Each structure stands twice: as structure tokens, then as C-alpha cells.
């Protein structure tokens, strides 16, 4: 047999895989299945046998976009186990750190991933060509979030300054002050972002969701609160496992989370906003109203406006914290480890992130469970796609793929490549 | 588990090359495994056998070069050098 050798020199890449199977019978939709490649959660095994104090640094490596969320859920779960309260300026600094992450993560999604969809651009590069000032504003806004994380966390990605009980070092007032001017600019830019995102063209797509998020007596939720839903759920995070469960489904190697016995539910900005509108700062509430939002939002495409409102909320909160900051005498609260179980939920930009640990008397982790927001939303994403595809059966394959990708992007999912990632199989009978 | 994703990407590339060249079969491929790529030659063979099953590259000859230089700029990478197709 004759053969020919083709030079390729191609570097293999690890990529997230998304595949959507759509079955159409005649003119009706028969089935929609979303397959997401979710690697096994080896992190839960890495943690076994490690010191309780290593959990924030190990789990931070799970995500480069939202390491703070992992650190915060880890430290709060450990403090819950050892019955420690972190209050005052240390608690405020943690909220400030979370503000930084929300600003950078949300801004990245709003400007780089989501907005191009609405404006008919393939990506942010095309968007930048047509609207350079908009993209520059986005980049500068994102940078202001990164700077908070760098200052408090020691570096932008996988920060190293968070510990169980507080921080390794806390900044002086003088060190925080330069952030103030920048955050005031960021607050204005966030307000512009809300106005700008509100004018994008949105499809009519109101859905009847079960929203779940944390709720705190007087704050928009970051690190603390009870888990509530719009269907009457109101529980302590200690009871998470009694109400929520993860199921395996045959068509995907990603687990599906459900509210027992089997209700899909929705975590993230839309849920937080709809359950906590009354906890937003006045400036964020007013911006949301001016943008045409009510006190709840059930159109996932409008999550871009809600994310922008949350950026504004985070900027406003950051300014409040920086202005009132008094450096504490010590950077952490002493910890006495012992045999215990600890539970925590915090609000990652993408939604509620649950950690549970079992620690032995020497302070060694014996068991760890981590439930990230994307996996909790899988079933709801699939349900949304089913409703969405049903209205677009006559679209071409490429058009339908792009629309489905856009519908998935509404959730800001943790798919390593959430840009053009979807393999679409349409079976017509 | 990330090997499965790497292999999928590699198969996509190999099948793409075959399609571009209008080749119905891939007879062989050459790869270089970086010193820090977490893949041994036998590991790669095993994964390739599974990933290529039922594809144009099923049964292809594998030429695998395992690099030992940890300081090589591509030490972490798996490089598909060339693809041999049937004429």
C-alpha cells in the first residue's frame, strides 16, 4: 500500500468537552441530553491525610478564576468544625477579598464571554475591534478586582495569604488606601456596565426556577447565612446533605445535583439576586431598577445584567470596607483542632459552593466533600436547553449550536473552554 | 483522567488531517512525549488503542519518542509530529 507522511507538529491540549444530543421526531422535540466532561474529583482524595490548615491552599488550586471561593468555603468549614468565630476587621477583610473575586470573575464573563454573544461577535477579540472603549473599560474593571485579591491574598491567582482563623498577614490602613480611588472609578464603571448590558437584545425566556442561595439577616451573601429557596427551603448549611443529593446519570460523567427527592435547582447570580434583592446596597438596587429588572429575574439571558449589578454591589461593598477599616491587633484567631465535622457554604461568583470535612483528633482531614456550583446547575442547564431548543427546531445546525452555547454561557459554567465548545448531535426521525 | 481528554483532542486532529487529505486510513503516527507529560510509551499505547477504536486510525503504527530533558520548553507537552496516511 502506498503511503504519505504529513508533518503536523501539533501540541495536544486538555479541553473541556461539552456535547449536546438533540432528538427530534417529526416536528417535535423528543429529547435533549447535555454531556459534560467532569473529571473525577481527585481533590477530595488529595485532602485525606493532610492537615486541616492545608485545606484552603489545596482547594484553591481547583479553580484559577475563583480560588477565593474555595478558600472561603474551606476556612469557614474548618472554623465551623473547631467552633471558632472570625469577627470584626478580619471578617470584613474576607468580604473585601470576595468582592475582588466577584469583580474579576463577573467582569471576565460579562465582557469577554457573554457580551459578544448578544452583539453577534464570535469572541472578545472581534468585540474589541468594533468597540475598543467598551473592552478597555472591562479590562480595567477586571484589573481593579485582581488588585484587591493581590493586595489581600499575596498574588492574583491562587492567593497564599488566607488561613483557617484569618490571614497570615493583614494590610495596614495605608496599604489599603490606594485601592479606594480605584474602587470609586470601578463603581462608576460598574454602573456604566449595568446600563450598557441592559440595552443588549434579550430573547423572551422567562423560566420557572427553583432558586437556591445563602441568605443573611442583613448582608448580601458572601460567606455566611442560611440556605434558602423561593419554594420555602430555609435550612442551616449543616443540613445540606439531608436536603441535597448528587446523582449519576447514564448519559454524562458529570454528577447531577437535585433537591431531594429529585428537583433540579439553580444557584448563582440570578438565584442570589432574586432571593436577596432587599439586601443589595441602595445604589445597586437603584441601578437594577433603572436597568428594567424587578426584584427577581427569571430570564437566564438577563444574567449579564444581574452579574453587572453584582459587580456594582461588590465595588460599593469594597469602598465601605476600605473606608471603615481598622487594622486588627493580630491577623488570625487561634485554632484548637480536634475530632469534629465542619460544614460551610459560601457564594462563589457562579453560585453556592459546599464543603464538608471530617477531622480527627490530631487535626488531620479524614474525609472531604466538595460540591461546586456548576455541577449543581447541570440539571437546570439541561432543562433550559430543552425549553430553548424546542423554540428553535427550524434553525440550521450552526445557528442552533451557537444559540445553545449562548444558553449554556448564561450560567457561567466551569467548563475549561466555555467559548466554542459544544459538539451538537441532532437526530431527526 | 485528563489523558482521555488529551487523546480526544489528538484523535480530533488526526481525523481532521485524514479528512483534509481524503485518506480513508491512517497507517501510523509519530508522537513525542515530554519528560513531564505524565505519559509513558506503554500508557500512551493503551490509551490510543481505546481512543482510536472504530476510527480511521484504528490499528495505526505508533512511533513514540520519550524525551528525558525536563528543561525542554515543551517538557509538559505531547506533540503529534506527523501522520502517515494511505494513498
Amino acid at each position: 500500500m502506498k503511503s504519505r507522511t504529513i508533518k503536523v507538529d501539533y501540541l495536544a491540549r486538555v479541553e473541556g468537552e461539552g456535547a449536546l444530543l438533540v432528538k427530534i421526531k417529526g416536528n417535535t422535540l423528543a429529547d435533549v441530553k447535555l454531556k459534560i466532561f467532569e473529571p473525577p474529583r481527585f481533590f477530595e482524595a488529595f485532602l485525606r491525610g493532610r492537615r486541616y490548615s492545608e485545606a484552603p491552599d489545596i482547594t484553591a488550586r481547583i479553580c484559577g478564576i475563583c480560588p477565593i471561593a474555595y478558600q472561603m468555603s474551606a476556612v469557614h468549614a474548618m472554623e465551623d468544625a473547631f467552633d471558632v468565630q472570625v469577627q470584626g476587621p478580619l471578617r470584613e477583610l474576607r468580604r473585601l477579598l470576595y468582592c475582588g473575586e466577584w469583580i474579576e470573575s463577573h467582569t471576565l464573563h460579562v465582557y469577554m464571554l457573554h457580551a459578544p454573544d448578544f452583539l453577534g461577535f464570535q469572541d472578545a477579540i472581534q468585540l474589541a475591534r468594533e468597540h475598543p472603549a467598551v473592552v478597555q473599560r472591562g479590562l480595567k474593571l477586571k484589573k481593579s478586582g485582581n488588585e484587591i485579591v493581590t493586595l489581600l491574598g499575596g498574588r492574583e491567582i491562587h492567593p497564599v495569604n488566607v488561613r483557617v482563623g484569618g490571614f497570615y498577614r493583614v494590610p495596614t490602613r495605608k496599604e489599603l488606601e490606594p485601592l479606594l480611588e480605584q474602587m470609586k472609578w470601578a463603581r462608576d464603571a460598574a454602573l456604566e456596565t449595568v446600563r450598557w448590558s441592559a440595552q443588549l437584545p434579550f430573547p423572551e425566556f422567562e423560566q420557572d426556577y427553583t432558586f437556591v442561595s445563602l441568605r443573611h439577616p442583613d448582608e448580601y451573601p458572601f460567606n455566611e447565612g442560611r440556605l434558602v429557596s423561593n419554594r420555602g427551603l430555609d435550612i442551616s448549611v449543616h443540613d445540606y446533605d439531608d436536603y441535597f443529593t448528587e446523582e449519576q446519570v447514564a448519559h454524562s460523567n458529570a454528577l447531577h445535583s437535585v433537591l431531594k427527592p429529585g428537583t433540579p435547582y439553580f444557584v448563582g447570580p440570578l438565584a442570589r439576586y432574586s432571593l436577596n434583592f432587599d439586601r443589595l446596597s441602595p445604589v445597586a438596587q437603584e441601578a437594577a431598577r433603572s436597568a428594567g429588572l424587578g426584584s427577581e429575574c427569571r430570564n437566564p439571558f438577563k444574567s449579564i445584567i444581574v452579574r453587572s449589578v453584582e459587580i456594582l454591589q461588590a465595588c460599593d461593598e469594597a469602598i465601605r470596607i476600605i473606608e471603615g477599616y481598622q487594622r486588627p491587633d493580630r491577623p488570625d484567631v487561634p485554632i484548637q483542632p480536634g475530632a469534629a465535622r465542619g460544614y460551610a457554604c459560601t457564594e462563589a461568583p457562579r453560585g453556592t459552593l459546599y464543603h464538608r470535612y471530617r477531622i480527627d483528633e490530631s487535626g488531620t482531614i479524614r474525609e472531604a466533600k466538595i460540591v461546586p456550583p456548576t455541577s449543581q446547575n447541570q440539571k437546570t442547564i439541561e432543562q433550559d436547553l430543552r425549553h430553548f431548543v424546542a423554540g428553535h427546531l427550524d434553525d440550521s445546525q450552526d445557528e442552533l449550536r451557537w444559540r445553545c452555547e449562548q444558553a449554556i454561557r448564561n450560567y457561567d459554567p466551569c467548563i475549561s473552554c466555555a467559548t466554542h465548545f459544544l459538539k451538537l448531535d441532532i437526530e431527526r426521525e | 483522567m485528563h489523558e482521555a481528554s488529551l487523546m480526544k483532542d489528538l484523535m480530533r486532529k488526526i481525523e481532521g488531517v485524514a479528512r483534509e487529505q481524503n485518506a480513508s486510513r491512517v497507517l501510523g503516527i509519530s508522537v513525542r512525549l515530554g519528560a513531564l507529560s505524565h505519559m509513558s510509551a506503554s500508557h500512551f499505547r493503551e490509551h490510543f488503542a481505546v481512543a482510536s477504536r472504530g476510527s480511521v486510525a484504528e490499528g495505526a503504527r505508533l512511533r513514540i519518542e520519550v524525551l528525558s530533558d525536563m528543561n525542554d520548553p515543551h517538557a509538559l507537552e505531547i506533540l503529534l509530529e506527523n501522520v502517515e496516511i494511505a494513498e
Side-chain angles (χ1 to χ4, degrees):
Chain A
M1 188 186 292
K2 279 181 66 181
S3 71
R4 197 153 45 93
T5 300
I6 315 290
K7 189 115 182 83
V8 183
D9 285 342
Y10 174 79
L11 292 172
R13 296 193 309 176
V14 173
E15 275 202 4
E17 289 278 343
L20 186 70
L21 174 70
V22 176
K23 281 189 181 167
I24 302 170
K25 280 187 179 162
N27 290 325
T28 53
L29 183 67
D31 198 11
V32 169
K33 285 198 172 94
L34 178 68
K35 288 200 231 179
I36 296 282
F37 177 83
E38 181 187 296
R41 295 182 191 164
F42 291 135
F43 271 92
E44 291 175 343
F46 296 159
L47 287 156
R48 284 181 222 141
R50 306 299 292 246
R51 294 281 299 160
Y52 76 92
S53 53
E54 291 180 287
D57 284 328
I58 293 173
T59 58
R61 268 61 179 183
I62 292 173
C63 180
I65 306 282
C66 58
I68 302 296
Y70 283 94
Q71 294 193 322
M72 288 298 122
S73 285
V75 297
H76 282 87
M78 293 302 174
E79 288 153 16
D80 177 61
F82 307 138
D83 209 14
V84 169
Q85 300 290 320
V86 174
Q87 300 294 357
L90 292 176
R91 182 176 184 276
E92 290 284 84
L93 282 177
R94 283 180 169 178
R95 281 181 70 80
L96 180 59
L97 186 57
Y98 232 146
C99 289
E101 179 161 283
W102 276 25
I103 294 165
E104 52 124 336
S105 174
H106 276 351
T107 306
L108 175 75
H109 189 265
V110 165
Y111 281 89
M112 304 294 144
L113 292 171
H114 216 186
D117 280 342
F118 292 100
L119 297 164
F121 295 114
Q122 278 295 309
D123 52 37
I125 310 290
Q126 275 189 9
L127 177 66
R129 223 171 273 143
E130 297 290 323
H131 303 281
V134 166
V135 173
Q136 276 163 359
R137 180 179 66 206
L139 289 171
K140 193 173 167 188
L141 183 54
K142 180 183 182 306
K143 193 163 178 278
S144 65
N146 284 74
E147 291 196 4
I148 294 178
V149 176
T150 306
L151 188 88
L152 291 182
R155 60 186 191 191
E156 273 176 36
I157 311 294
H158 305 318
V160 290
N161 191 30
V162 171
R163 70 186 299 177
V164 179
F167 294 89
Y168 288 96
R169 181 186 178 277
V170 285
T172 60
R173 253 194 84 81
K174 209 171 161 55
E175 284 171 323
L176 272 191
E177 266 162 13
L179 282 179
L180 197 55
E181 274 319 292
Q182 195 169 358
M183 290 321 299
K184 286 182 175 166
W185 175 88
R187 182 167 60 183
D188 291 344
L191 193 54
E192 285 299 311
T193 306
V194 176
R195 289 181 187 141
W196 170 73
S197 64
Q199 294 175 23
L200 296 168
F202 296 104
E204 284 299 318
F205 193 67
E206 301 279 320
Q207 300 296 301
D208 186 20
Y209 293 115
T210 297
F211 286 132
V212 172
S213 89
L214 285 180
R215 182 161 169 85
H216 184 274
D218 38 43
E219 295 167 340
Y220 200 70
F222 274 125
N223 287 315
E224 293 171 25
R226 289 172 67 78
L227 269 177
V228 302
S229 82
N230 54 334
R231 305 262 193 261
L233 181 82
D234 183 352
I235 61 168
S236 154
V237 296
H238 289 158
D239 302 327
Y240 181 96
D241 294 305
D242 296 336
Y243 287 85
F244 296 90
T245 185
E246 292 183 295
E247 297 174 338
Q248 286 193 322
V249 289
H251 65 264
S252 174
N253 72 353
L255 292 164
H256 279 198
S257 263
V258 290
L259 245 168
K260 290 175 184 177
T263 311
Y265 63 100
F266 187 179
V267 297
L270 238 58
R272 263 191 311 257
Y273 174 92
S274 300
L275 295 166
N276 295 285
F277 180 82
D278 56 347
R279 300 286 186 263
L280 285 166
S281 67
V283 66
Q285 282 194 25
E286 192 187 329
R289 294 249 184 240
S290 305
L293 294 178
S295 58
E296 74 163 8
C297 176
R298 292 187 294 109
N299 180 342
F301 289 90
K302 290 189 177 174
S303 63
I304 191 169
I305 313 176
V306 174
R307 264 182 210 97
S308 306
V309 169
E310 285 198 333
I311 298 169
L312 177 59
Q313 169 71 21
C315 292
D316 202 45
E317 180 75 356
I319 290 167
R320 183 192 67 75
I321 293 168
I322 296 166
E323 283 178 337
Y325 178 65
Q326 294 296 338
R327 193 183 199 204
D329 297 335
R330 53 171 301 168
D332 63 327
V333 176
I335 303 285
Q336 276 302 326
R341 289 172 190 270
Y343 307 81
C345 282
T346 73
E347 287 291 340
R350 279 150 208 79
T352 312
L353 168 63
Y354 174 63
H355 283 213
R356 183 189 78 212
Y357 298 100
R358 184 167 58 83
I359 324 286
D360 69 14
E361 59 288 349
S362 69
T364 303
I365 298 166
R366 289 292 157 212
E367 190 189 303
K369 182 178 169 77
I370 296 168
V371 187
T374 294
S375 70
Q376 297 182 74
N377 280 341
Q378 296 264 358
K379 214 174 175 71
T380 300
I381 296 177
E382 198 173 70
Q383 207 173 44
D384 260 13
L385 286 167
R386 191 169 293 130
H387 296 155
F388 189 70
V389 169
H392 292 89
L393 294 182
D394 297 333
D395 290 3
S396 72
Q397 180 109 347
D398 282 350
E399 176 88 359
L400 188 61
R401 178 184 312 111
W402 181 71
R403 283 185 188 281
C404 289
E405 283 189 356
Q406 194 184 347
I408 293 171
R409 262 195 288 281
N410 288 334
Y411 289 86
D412 187 11
C414 261
I415 297 172
S416 67
C417 164
T419 45
H420 303 295
F421 61 93
L422 195 65
K423 188 169 159 284
L424 181 65
D425 293 320
I426 301 183
E427 289 180 13
R428 291 180 189 270
E429 286 182 19
Chain B
M1 195 66 200
H2 75 287
E3 300 90 332
S5 175
L6 276 170
M7 277 298 174
K8 238 178 174 165
D9 187 50
L10 218 51
M11 286 308 302
R12 217 183 348 243
K13 186 69 192 174
I14 292 166
E15 287 173 328
V17 170
R19 224 180 2 257
E20 277 165 27
Q21 303 293 328
N22 289 323
S24 59
R25 273 198 63 197
V26 170
L27 301 175
I29 64 162
S30 301
V31 291
R32 291 169 72 171
L33 309 181
L36 304 174
S37 68
H38 307 289
M39 275 272 203
S40 66
S42 62
H43 195 185
F44 185 91
R45 280 182 196 285
E46 206 175 306
H47 270 281
F48 184 83
V50 173
S52 62
R53 202 171 292 150
S55 79
V56 289
E58 183 169 359
R61 274 192 309 275
L62 302 183
R63 280 177 298 276
I64 303 171
E65 188 186 351
V66 182
L67 304 180
S68 57
D69 180 5
M70 290 193 209
N71 298 314
D72 183 292
H74 291 304
L76 291 166
E77 310 279 6
I78 292 176
L79 178 77
L80 174 66
E81 284 182 284
N82 55 51
V83 176
E84 188 189 348
I85 52 167
E87 286 278 56

